[in-house]
Amino acid sequence: MVTLLDLKNAFDEVHHNLIQEVLSYRHIPGHIKFLVRNLYTDFKTSILTQDFNTPFIPIGPGVLQGDCLSPLLLTLCFNTFIQYIRSDEYRQCGFFNKSFINGTLLSLRPIHWFQFADDATVVSGQEYENQLLLNRITLWCQLADIIIRVDKCVTFGMKKVRTKSVQYQPKLIINSQLVPCVSTGSCFKYRGRYFDFQMSNYMHKSELIDMTNATLAQIDRLPLHPKYKILLYSRHLLSKISWQFTVADLSKTWVSENLDNIVALYVRKWLEILVCGTLSNVFPTKAKFGLSLYPRSIKFSQFQTVARNAIKCSPNEDIKNLWKSTSTHTNLQYD
C-alpha cells in the first residue's frame, strides 16, 4: 500500500510560532533563535522591475524562498512528525522485505514513510496500517495549520488473491474525504519515477521516444551548420534525458533498438550519409578524426553505472543491502 500526499503551499503555510517551537525542541542556541525571530518579525518585501517597484508588502506565515535557510527550517518542522512515528508502535506498520544473497538473509528495516521537503509518501503492508499513519499526519497538519490537498493525493494498492498478486483500489480517508486511487493498469509518479503494477516502465519508454523525436525535429529545423546540430544533440538532448536513464529500469538492447535508430536517421541526414554508409567514423573522439558523437546506448550505460555506484557507496546500510540484493542479472555489468 502506497499513498502519496500533497500539502498545499507548504513553504507558504508554515507559521513562525511553529518555527520557534521547533528550534527550541532541537536545542538551537538562543542567539540563533533570536536572529530567526528577527528575520520573520514584521517582514516586508517589494517586487522590483526595470520600470517600477511596488510598495512594501507585509509577509504573514511561511518561510522565505531563494535562500539556504528556508528549506532547512521547513525540514526541521516536518522532522518533528518523522521523529514521532519512528517509535516501535508505528515502525511496525511499515513494509518489511527480506532478501537472500548467497544463502545469507538480508533483513531490511521496515519502511513506512518517505519525506523529501514537503513531499510525503506513506508505505505499509496493510490497508489499516496505512490509514493509521494517515490519521497521524492529519492530526499533525491540523496542529501545524497545514492543509492537505486530498484531491491531489493518490493511493496505490496490491494484494494477494489466492496464488497471485493483483492491483486493487483501497479505501483510505483523509479529513472525511476519500483518497483518489490509481486506476487498474495505470501508474503513479514519485520523484520522477513511474511505478505501475507490472513495473513495465512503459511511461518512461514513451516519454523517451517522444522527447527524442521532438527535440531532434526541433534541432533539425534550425538554420545551423550540421556540426552545430550535432553539438546541440550532444550537449542538450543527452543531458535532458539523463534523469530518465538513471531511474528507469530499461535494457541497453531497448535503448539501442529504439533510440539509437532515431538518432542515426537524423545524423545521416545532417552529414548526408547514405543508408548503405556506416556511422562508425563519427563515434571516435576528435583526436582520432571523429566527431565524439555518443550513441544513446553508451550514455545509458554511463548513467546506470553512476547510479549503481552511488547506491553501492551509500553511507546507509539499508541502501547497501539493497545494492547487494539487486547486484545480479541486469545490474551485473554495471556493478
Side-chain angles (χ1 to χ4, degrees):
M1 188 76 55
V2 180
T3 303
L4 279 67
L5 301 178
D6 183 88
L7 305 179
K8 180 182 178 182
N9 300 329
F11 275 90
D12 300 333
E13 299 293 333
V14 177
H15 283 265
H16 301 160
N17 291 335
L18 176 62
I19 295 176
Q20 290 298 316
E21 291 293 335
V22 170
L23 293 179
S24 299
Y25 171 74
R26 285 295 180 184
H27 305 289
I28 302 299
H31 63 283
I32 300 297
K33 294 191 294 183
F34 178 77
L35 289 175
V36 175
R37 184 184 301 110
N38 283 352
L39 177 64
Y40 286 100
T41 300
D42 297 327
F43 179 77
K44 300 178 181 179
T45 186
S46 177
I47 301 174
L48 306 179
T49 68
Q50 294 181 349
D51 303 323
F52 68 93
N53 60 298
T54 65
F56 283 101
I57 305 171
I59 301 298
V63 294
L64 309 176
Q65 297 187 39
D67 64 293
C68 58
L69 178 62
S70 299
L72 177 61
L73 294 176
L74 182 70
T75 302
L76 285 173
C77 292
F78 278 104
N79 200 49
T80 58
F81 174 73
I82 302 301
Q83 293 296 325
Y84 171 68
I85 61 174
R86 277 185 174 177
S87 62
D88 294 337
E89 177 185 0
Y90 297 104
R91 176 65 74 178
Q92 63 183 0
C93 295
F95 179 78
F96 190 78
N97 183 39
K98 293 181 179 179
S99 300
F100 288 90
I101 299 297
N102 297 326
T104 304
L105 174 62
L106 297 177
S107 298
L108 303 182
R109 289 177 294 179
I111 298 173
H112 67 336
W113 198 277
F114 292 99
Q115 186 80 38
F116 185 85
D118 60 338
D119 191 357
T121 302
V122 187
V123 182
S124 66
Q126 301 291 334
E127 187 171 335
Y128 75 91
E129 295 175 347
N130 207 282
Q131 184 64 64
L132 177 63
L133 291 170
L134 291 179
N135 294 339
R136 294 297 92 191
I137 186 62
T138 301
L139 179 60
W140 184 86
C141 287
Q142 291 175 353
L143 296 174
D145 201 15
I146 295 177
I147 301 174
I148 301 178
R149 292 286 303 270
V150 183
D151 58 319
K152 290 190 175 181
C153 298
V154 66
T155 183
F156 175 87
M158 295 186 298
K159 65 180 179 180
K160 194 169 186 178
V161 178
R162 296 181 180 177
T163 59
K164 64 179 182 179
S165 299
V166 297
Q167 180 184 349
Y168 81 108
Q169 298 183 351
K171 292 179 172 57
L172 300 174
I173 305 296
I174 298 179
N175 291 330
S176 302
Q177 300 182 52
L178 189 65
V179 180
C181 299
V182 177
S183 58
T184 304
S186 300
C187 61
F188 67 91
K189 188 177 183 180
Y190 177 70
R191 310 304 307 166
R193 175 75 159 87
Y194 289 102
F195 296 88
D196 64 275
F197 178 73
Q198 301 293 341
M199 291 301 291
S200 60
N201 294 282
Y202 70 92
M203 284 298 298
H204 285 292
K205 294 178 180 179
S206 177
E207 283 193 1
L208 282 170
I209 292 176
D210 293 343
M211 187 186 304
T212 301
N213 280 317
T215 306
L216 288 177
Q218 184 180 10
I219 294 175
D220 184 54
R221 290 193 297 267
L222 297 175
L224 298 174
H225 190 277
K227 71 174 183 179
Y228 295 116
K229 292 183 179 180
I230 292 177
L231 189 63
L232 277 176
Y233 157 76
S234 300
R235 295 190 177 181
H236 173 64
L237 181 58
L238 291 179
S239 61
K240 193 175 182 179
I241 63 173
S242 60
W243 176 253
Q244 301 267 19
F245 277 179
T246 303
V247 301
D249 187 16
L250 306 173
S251 67
K252 186 176 180 180
T253 302
W254 182 89
V255 176
S256 179
E257 292 179 352
N258 292 271
L259 302 183
D260 283 355
N261 290 337
I262 299 175
V263 175
L265 290 176
Y266 282 94
V267 173
R268 288 181 185 278
K269 179 181 178 181
W270 296 337
L271 300 180
E272 299 180 357
I273 299 176
L274 299 177
V275 178
C276 59
T278 177
L279 293 177
S280 59
N281 291 335
V282 302
F283 295 143
T285 62
K286 294 181 179 180
K288 297 182 179 179
F289 308 104
L291 297 178
S292 300
L293 180 64
Y294 289 98
R296 306 288 287 276
S297 54
I298 299 299
K299 279 295 181 181
F300 172 74
S301 298
Q302 292 179 355
F303 291 133
Q304 288 287 308
T305 304
V306 171
R308 294 295 298 176
N309 183 68
I311 297 176
K312 178 182 178 181
C313 301
S314 173
N316 191 317
E317 289 299 325
D318 286 344
I319 299 298
K320 289 183 178 179
N321 288 336
L322 178 66
W323 173 81
K324 293 178 182 178
S325 63
T326 57
S327 185
T328 56
H329 304 298
T330 57
N331 295 316
L332 186 61
Q333 57 177 328
Y334 309 121
D335 293 340

